[in-house]
Amino acid sequence: MKFSNIIAILSASIASVAAYQTTGKETVDILVDYHIKETPEVTKNDVASWTNGEEITLQYTINNNEESDVTVIGVTGQFLNPVTRQAVTNLTQGRIGPVAVAPGESAQFEQTINVNLVPNNYELVPQIFIVQGELVKVIPCRGQLASVLDKAISFFDPRLIFLEIVLLASFGGLIYLAYQIWGKNYIKGTAPVKVKKSAKSPSPVVSSSAGSSTGAGYDVNWIPEGHLKQKRTKKVA
């Protein structure tokens, strides 16, 4: 089978290329390593920190120590549970090149990964697909521990603002309801009551001439004149 036919067949079935088996017990003298383009300081012994929605780029370097040419045609991989080693999710298969690597030579290529996982700890294990002769082989790469977090939401994010408005409206509604049920009656029962002052009855007016003419505390104008003369006569006697 011609090499061009192999490429055409693999390109048509790249979505199901994970069905191919790895090299198994067969050993190949091909070394593959990579580093993270965005954080080159992170090594295989470190734990990378990624955020959901982030895009990371793996930069691969392949060294062909075989006696024949090899060609890189695709990349894939898995996110594993670092404790159980169980696959959590598969990476989307992607076509590379093809990138031909002669014996004793090296080549570089890249793979872009969109991070969208449940926040947790993972181990990324990439795999590359090569063609050697008329065989398609899958070569696993080293794992990379990573911690995936959700993106922090800004205080001014529209979704957060909407949630704040809903919470404030709910809280205000509860306060208003509590006031209508309990608060209004309580305030009425504890408020001081204003007592209305009764109108003062007018005090009796005493004539100024009453005491001055007779020395008594009564008005002499209504006493018959004959009775007054009689009293004066008795006083003279």
Side-chain angles (χ1 to χ4, degrees), residues 130-230:
I130 65 169
V131 175
Q132 187 176 25
E134 295 184 355
L135 297 177
V136 176
K137 299 179 180 180
V138 181
I139 301 179
C141 303
R142 66 169 178 85
Q144 175 65 59
L145 293 175
S147 178
V148 177
L149 304 173
D150 276 332
K151 185 178 180 180
I153 300 177
S154 171
F155 184 79
F156 299 101
D157 188 281
R159 295 170 295 176
L160 185 59
I161 293 176
F162 176 76
L163 180 61
E164 291 169 352
I165 293 174
V166 171
L167 290 176
L168 288 175
S170 302
F171 185 68
L174 290 175
I175 292 178
Y176 178 77
L177 183 62
Y179 172 75
Q180 291 295 327
I181 296 176
W182 300 290
K184 185 182 292 186
N185 294 331
Y186 177 78
I187 292 174
K188 286 182 178 179
T190 58
V193 179
K194 294 183 178 180
V195 180
K196 294 183 178 180
K197 295 182 179 180
S198 57
K200 294 182 178 180
S201 56
S203 55
V205 179
V206 179
S207 175
S208 58
S209 62
S212 59
S213 59
T214 62
Y218 54 86
D219 188 3
V220 297
N221 293 328
W222 61 275
I223 300 175
E225 185 178 354
H227 182 71
L228 291 175
K229 290 181 179 180
Q230 186 178 358

Side-chain angles (χ1 to χ4, degrees), residues 64-107:
N64 181 14
N65 297 320
E66 293 282 303
E67 296 180 353
S68 59
D69 293 348
V70 296
T71 303
V72 181
I73 56 175
V75 290
T76 183
Q78 294 177 320
F79 278 103
L80 306 180
N81 184 314
V83 178
T84 63
R85 303 293 297 170
Q86 296 294 319
V88 177
T89 185
N90 294 321
L91 298 179
T92 303
Q93 293 87 356
R95 181 179 175 183
I96 298 295
V99 179
V101 187
E105 299 294 331
S106 63

Side-chain angles (χ1 to χ4, degrees), residues 3-30:
F3 176 74
S4 59
N5 293 336
I6 295 176
I7 297 298
I9 293 172
L10 189 61
S11 298
S13 60
I14 192 67
S16 60
V17 75
Y20 286 95
Q21 298 296 320
T22 60
T23 54
K25 294 182 180 180
E26 179 186 351
T27 59
V28 291
D29 198 1
I30 298 174

Side-chain angles (χ1 to χ4, degrees), residues 93-138:
Q93 293 87 356
R95 181 179 175 183
I96 298 295
V99 179
V101 187
E105 299 294 331
S106 63
Q108 294 182 339
F109 56 93
E110 294 183 352
Q111 176 188 15
T112 301
I113 300 174
N114 294 315
V115 180
N116 187 18
L117 297 167
V118 176
N120 207 337
N121 297 321
Y122 298 93
E123 182 180 2
L124 171 63
V125 181
Q127 297 173 338
I128 67 170
F129 296 90
I130 65 169
V131 175
Q132 187 176 25
E134 295 184 355
L135 297 177
V136 176
K137 299 179 180 180
V138 181

Side-chain angles (χ1 to χ4, degrees), residues 27-80:
T27 59
V28 291
D29 198 1
I30 298 174
L31 302 178
V32 181
D33 197 9
Y34 65 89
H35 69 273
I36 305 168
K37 183 178 181 179
E38 290 75 15
T39 54
E41 70 279 1
V42 176
T43 67
K44 61 182 180 181
N45 298 321
D46 298 326
V47 178
S49 180
W50 298 331
T51 304
N52 276 326
E54 183 180 4
E55 189 176 83
I56 62 173
T57 304
L58 303 184
Q59 292 185 322
Y60 294 89
T61 300
I62 180 172
N63 293 281
N64 181 14
N65 297 320
E66 293 282 303
E67 296 180 353
S68 59
D69 293 348
V70 296
T71 303
V72 181
I73 56 175
V75 290
T76 183
Q78 294 177 320
F79 278 103
L80 306 180

